[in-house]
């Protein structure tokens, strides 16, 4: 009987690190980092779909989150100057579409500087300077430069979270 206490203690000491490693390996609640999108033939894509804590979202060729600006009117951008420095437009003369994105929703629009900006489902697309790495969504729900900014889902609609503000 006196030997069972040390054995129980030893079993607990061995089992505890195994349990901790198992829980750590599970990931921790939606902080997935998307990978850069690829075309059907494996080439780099201008935009595609990635998975993050918000769900499936549009990402650029570097797997950075793409946003829409509610102040935009149709395919016409309302973001210039300091706005475009903080929310760089997604540009590509010949866009390529990666897995999960719908090619039929991709188009381009001309900006006032004469350069093309990609649109998706009629919304001009932007990245956010406050997103440091792939999968960051720090611009979600931000009200800046006269309107709200939202992450875009694969259908081309805005994602609204509890931290998003109304428009």
């Amino acid at each position: 009987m006196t030997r069972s206490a040390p054995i129980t203690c030893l079993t607990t000491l061995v089992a505890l690190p195994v349990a901790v490693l198992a829980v750590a390996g599970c990931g921790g609640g939606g902080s997935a980092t998307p990978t850069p999108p690829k075309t059907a033939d494996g080439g780099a894509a201008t935009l595609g779909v990635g998975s993050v804590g918000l769900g499936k979202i549009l990402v650029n060729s570097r797997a950075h989150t793409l946003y829409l600006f509610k102040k935009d009117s149709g395919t016409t951008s309302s973001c210039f100057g300091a706005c475009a420095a903080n929310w760089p437009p997604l540009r590509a003369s010949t866009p390529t579409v990666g897995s999960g994105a719908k090619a039929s929703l991709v188009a381009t629009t001309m900006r006032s500087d004469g350069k093309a900006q990609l649109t998706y489902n009629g919304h001009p697309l932007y990245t956010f300077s406050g997103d440091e790495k792939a999968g960051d969504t720090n611009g979600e729900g931000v009200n800046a430069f006269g309107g709200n900014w939202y992450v875009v889902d694969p259908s081309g609609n805005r994602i609204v979270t509890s931290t998003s503000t109304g428009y």
Side-chain angles (χ1 to χ4, degrees):
M1 280 224 163
T2 58
R3 292 185 85 160
S4 67
I7 291 174
T8 302
C9 182
L10 182 60
T11 303
T12 302
L13 289 174
V14 169
L16 185 61
V18 171
V20 169
L21 286 173
V23 170
C26 288
S31 59
T33 302
T35 58
K38 300 287 183 195
T39 61
D41 64 1
T46 308
L47 68 109
V49 174
S51 293
V52 297
L54 296 174
K56 292 186 182 285
I57 64 167
L58 289 184
V59 296
N60 71 2
S61 62
R62 294 178 37 219
H64 284 239
T65 303
L66 294 173
Y67 297 88
L68 63 81
F69 187 31
K70 286 303 290 183
K71 187 177 176 184
D72 288 345
S73 177
T75 60
T76 303
S77 175
S78 298
C79 183
F80 303 97
C83 178
N86 286 285
W87 299 89
L90 180 61
R91 298 179 184 267
S93 56
T94 308
T96 53
V97 180
S99 178
K102 298 176 183 172
S104 62
L105 297 179
V106 177
T108 58
T109 187
M110 293 305 267
R111 293 178 55 82
S112 63
D113 62 6
K115 295 180 182 175
Q117 178 175 4
L118 262 63
T119 63
Y120 195 83
N121 195 28
H123 301 289
L125 296 175
Y126 306 85
T127 57
F128 179 48
S129 63
D131 288 346
E132 295 180 10
K133 64 185 182 322
D136 283 353
T137 57
N138 297 318
E140 169 59 26
V142 169
N143 185 319
F145 300 99
N148 292 323
W149 297 86
Y150 298 101
V151 174
V152 184
D153 73 15
S155 296
N157 299 311
R158 66 188 179 119
I159 291 179
V160 179
T161 63
S162 60
T163 58
S164 299
T165 58
Y167 39 120

